[in-house]
Amino acid sequence: MQFGKAFTFVFEDDDWVMKTIIAALVSLIPIIGQITVIGWGLEVTRRVIRNDPNPLPDWSDFGGHIVKGIIAWVIGFVYALPLILVWICPVVIFAAAGDDDTIVSVVSVCFGCLTFLYVILLLFVLPAAMGNYAAKDELSAAFRFGEVFGLVRAAPGAYLLTILGAIIAGIIAPLGIILCFVGVLWTQAYAVLINSHLWGQAYNEAQKGEILEPAEF
């Protein structure tokens, strides 16, 4: 898996400056802008999966990027539903327990552990779900849980690298503040591209069903 490629592929495109600046400007649109940029990123995932030599898309299919972004939001929301339930249940229990500190403490620890475990699971599974959708262009593909978990089982190392990439991208995203507000928007778009490229790579590794080689930097 070419881990470093996720950070450099952007600059290999002849029009990368214009494409990424447009992404930064699009993200200025409240709510729908960020969703559209995520959809643009999913197109990167699709192109990486199909081994497209030019994985950085332009903005000619603006409507298509919006649709993909909305679908990505739906996928993320559905996978996050268990977390929402985990957060709601303690509130109900606390209300019923009243001032019983023992119950409050035990419930807090138990549900805190559940939240932690599910977040770890989500970090592995959500990139696989996004990749399965991007590969098959069907919303239902993201919820074929057998296929999604099968991808993670086939290439756990690759999906671990998507988590590492997400952490690094999360560090990079706010660095644009050095270049003022517009810089932040650009680095946030760049972070989306990093994650999207890694999702596509991880999907391809899982499809190979082979033991991963060490990541190339």
Side-chain angles (χ1 to χ4, degrees), residues 13-192:
D13 189 290
D14 292 339
D15 297 321
W16 71 269
V17 174
M18 183 59 65
K19 291 176 180 179
T20 54
I21 287 177
I22 291 174
L25 294 175
V26 167
S27 66
L28 285 171
I29 304 171
I31 302 176
I32 197 65
Q34 290 80 8
I35 288 175
T36 304
V37 171
I38 291 172
W40 178 61
L42 269 183
E43 176 61 18
V44 171
T45 303
R46 186 187 72 83
R47 293 188 180 196
V48 171
I49 290 171
R50 298 186 180 185
N51 296 309
D52 191 319
N54 185 30
L56 186 62
D58 59 27
W59 286 90
S60 59
D61 187 19
F62 190 85
H65 298 332
I66 293 176
V67 171
K68 284 187 177 71
I70 292 172
I71 289 174
W73 183 88
V74 170
I75 294 170
F77 177 77
V78 172
Y79 274 90
L81 277 176
L83 274 181
I84 297 173
L85 294 176
V86 167
W87 293 334
I88 291 175
C89 288
V91 175
V92 176
I93 295 173
F94 293 159
D99 296 328
D100 192 325
D101 293 337
T102 301
I103 293 178
V104 171
S105 298
V106 171
V107 170
S108 297
V109 171
C110 289
F111 280 93
C113 291
L114 285 175
T115 298
F116 175 77
L117 292 174
Y118 189 77
V119 167
I120 296 299
L121 177 65
L122 199 61
L123 289 173
F124 279 94
V125 172
L126 194 55
M130 294 293 188
N132 211 35
Y133 159 68
K136 297 170 182 175
D137 201 24
E138 299 174 359
L139 176 58
S140 61
F143 304 113
R144 294 173 193 157
F145 301 116
E147 293 179 12
V148 171
F149 282 95
L151 290 170
V152 177
R153 286 196 300 269
Y159 285 101
L160 183 60
L161 286 176
T162 67
I163 297 174
L164 176 59
I167 293 172
I168 296 174
I171 295 172
I172 291 173
L175 293 181
I177 196 169
I178 297 172
L179 301 175
C180 299
F181 184 63
V182 175
V184 172
L185 296 176
W186 188 91
T187 50
Q188 286 176 344
Y190 177 54
V192 168

